[in-house]
């Protein structure tokens, strides 16, 4: 099969299957895994599929936010790094920050190394293992039920009890929240109601709120609504949103931050 014909059929297979692996495709087409990787890389560069570690996913699927965090760390990596860089630009030394679970939050944590005296609260179980200790004043891991797939804790945003026996609530300068979908009519949404409630609580406890959403999630809707568009001060993304979404964000008073190359 000619490469152009193979790539066209690959795109159709990914679209119909939702998620495929390099090994499966190499066997199906009787070519090397390196050939399939090149084809998938080309399709990803053209915006036709989403590359993952070991395979590819359809851009139209709404199920991928519920994949394990290990898989999600291989999805839209370039976009996440651009988003993380913009998010770090909103933070200064001695800030207090809330960061939710997810691979984008991990990218933010890795980008904080040049800052100092930060106080961070997170429900991201993996974040303590990737952040540079030199940037920290304090790091708090919020407790609760652990979702193994997303490596997230789900529970109240409190840190123990005060001397009077009342829960100690947290407050932060900024919350950096990554979500699975954004749309004009549903606002920001995610796949799990527990995580949606946790994200909403985080947003309520911060002076400023930045939602981190890569462009593959534009005009998508997931099961659990997190907040309306007006719940965010900033939308940080890797590409300019579609016209209708841009207009809705402007009406809601949300500042959209995109890389200079995508502006």
């Amino acid at each position: 099969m000619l490469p152009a014909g193979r790539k066209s059929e690959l795109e159709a297979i990914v679209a119909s299957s939702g998620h495929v692996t390099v090994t499966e495709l190499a066997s199906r087409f009787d070519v090397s895994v390196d050939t399939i990787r090149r084809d998938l890389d080309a399709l990803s560069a053209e915006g036709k599929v989403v590359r993952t570690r070991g395979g590819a996913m359809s851009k139209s699927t709404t199920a991928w936010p519920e994949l394990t965090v290990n898989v999600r760390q291989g999805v839209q990596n370039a976009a996440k790094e651009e988003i993380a860089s913009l998010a770090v630009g909103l933070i200064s030394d001695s800030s207090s920050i809330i960061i939710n679970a997810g691979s984008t939050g991990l990218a933010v944590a890795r980008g904080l190394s040049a800052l100092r005296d930060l106080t961070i609260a997170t429900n991201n179980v993996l974040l303590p293992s990737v952040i540079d200790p030199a940037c920290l004043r304090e790091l708090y891991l919020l407790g609760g039920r652990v979702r193994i797939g997303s490596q997230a804790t789900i529970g109240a945003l409190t840190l123990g009890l005060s001397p009077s026996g009342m829960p100690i609530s947290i407050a932060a300068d900024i919350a950096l929240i990554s979500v699975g979908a954004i749309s004009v009519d549903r606002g920001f949404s995610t796949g799990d109601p527990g995580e949606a409630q946790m994200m909403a609580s985080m947003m309520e406890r911060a002076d400023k709120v930045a939602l981190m959403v890569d462009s593959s999630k534009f005009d998508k809707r997931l099961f659990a609504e997190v907040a309306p568009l007006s719940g965010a001060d900033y939308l940080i993304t890797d590409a300019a949103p579609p016209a209708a979404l841009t207009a809705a964000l402007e009406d809601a008073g949300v500042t959209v931050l995109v890389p200079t190359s995508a502006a």
Side-chain angles (χ1 to χ4, degrees):
M1 183 180 290
L2 294 174
R6 182 175 61 246
K7 283 177 18 181
S8 178
E9 188 169 345
L10 277 172
E11 182 183 356
I13 292 170
V14 175
S16 62
S17 301
H19 182 245
V20 292
T21 68
V22 168
T23 303
E24 292 169 353
L25 293 172
S27 175
R28 179 164 183 164
F29 288 97
D30 194 25
V31 296
S32 70
V33 293
D34 287 337
T35 296
I36 293 297
R37 288 193 184 102
R38 286 193 293 270
D39 287 346
L40 293 179
D41 287 342
L43 288 170
S44 177
E46 295 166 11
K48 295 177 179 177
V49 302
V50 176
R51 278 291 263 130
T52 66
R53 289 180 181 172
M57 299 182 63
S58 168
K59 293 191 73 173
S60 64
T61 183
T62 59
W64 77 263
E66 290 308 299
L67 295 174
T68 66
V69 70
N70 289 334
V71 172
R72 278 186 278 159
Q73 287 188 72
V75 177
Q76 297 288 89
N77 282 337
K80 289 172 186 173
E81 293 300 327
E82 290 180 318
I83 290 168
S85 178
L86 291 170
V88 170
L90 296 175
I91 302 169
S92 57
D93 290 344
S94 303
S95 295
S96 55
I97 314 162
I98 298 173
I99 304 175
N100 78 315
S103 51
T104 305
L106 294 177
V108 171
R110 288 190 291 267
L112 295 172
S113 58
L115 296 171
R116 292 294 180 269
D117 201 36
L118 301 177
T119 299
I120 299 176
T122 184
N123 71 327
N124 192 329
V125 174
L126 299 178
L127 189 147
S129 67
V130 304
I131 197 165
D132 183 351
C135 75
L136 294 172
R137 178 181 183 183
E138 299 285 354
L139 174 61
Y140 296 97
L141 182 62
L142 300 166
R145 174 176 63 90
V146 178
R147 294 195 73 215
I148 298 299
S150 60
Q151 290 292 286
T153 60
I154 307 297
L157 265 66
T158 59
L159 296 172
L161 299 177
S162 70
S164 64
M166 297 295 292
I168 300 173
S169 298
I170 66 174
D173 297 316
I174 189 167
L176 301 173
I177 309 297
S178 60
V179 297
I182 178 174
S183 67
V184 172
D185 57 334
R186 289 284 305 279
F188 303 103
S189 57
T190 192
D192 180 75
E195 289 205 50
Q197 185 176 20
M198 191 81 165
M199 293 173 191
S201 295
M202 291 175 168
M203 294 167 68
E204 291 172 357
R205 303 295 176 85
D207 294 336
K208 294 291 183 180
V209 176
L211 270 291
M212 304 182 294
V213 188
D214 72 65
S215 56
S216 71
K217 301 167 186 175
F218 291 163
D219 294 328
K220 300 286 173 59
R221 302 164 185 83
L222 290 172
F223 180 69
E225 185 173 334
V226 176
L229 296 179
S230 59
D233 296 292
Y234 301 97
L235 172 71
I236 309 178
T237 186
D238 61 301
L245 184 54
T246 295
L249 288 162
E250 183 175 349
D251 289 343
V254 181
T255 300
V256 178
L257 301 179
V258 296
T260 303
S261 60

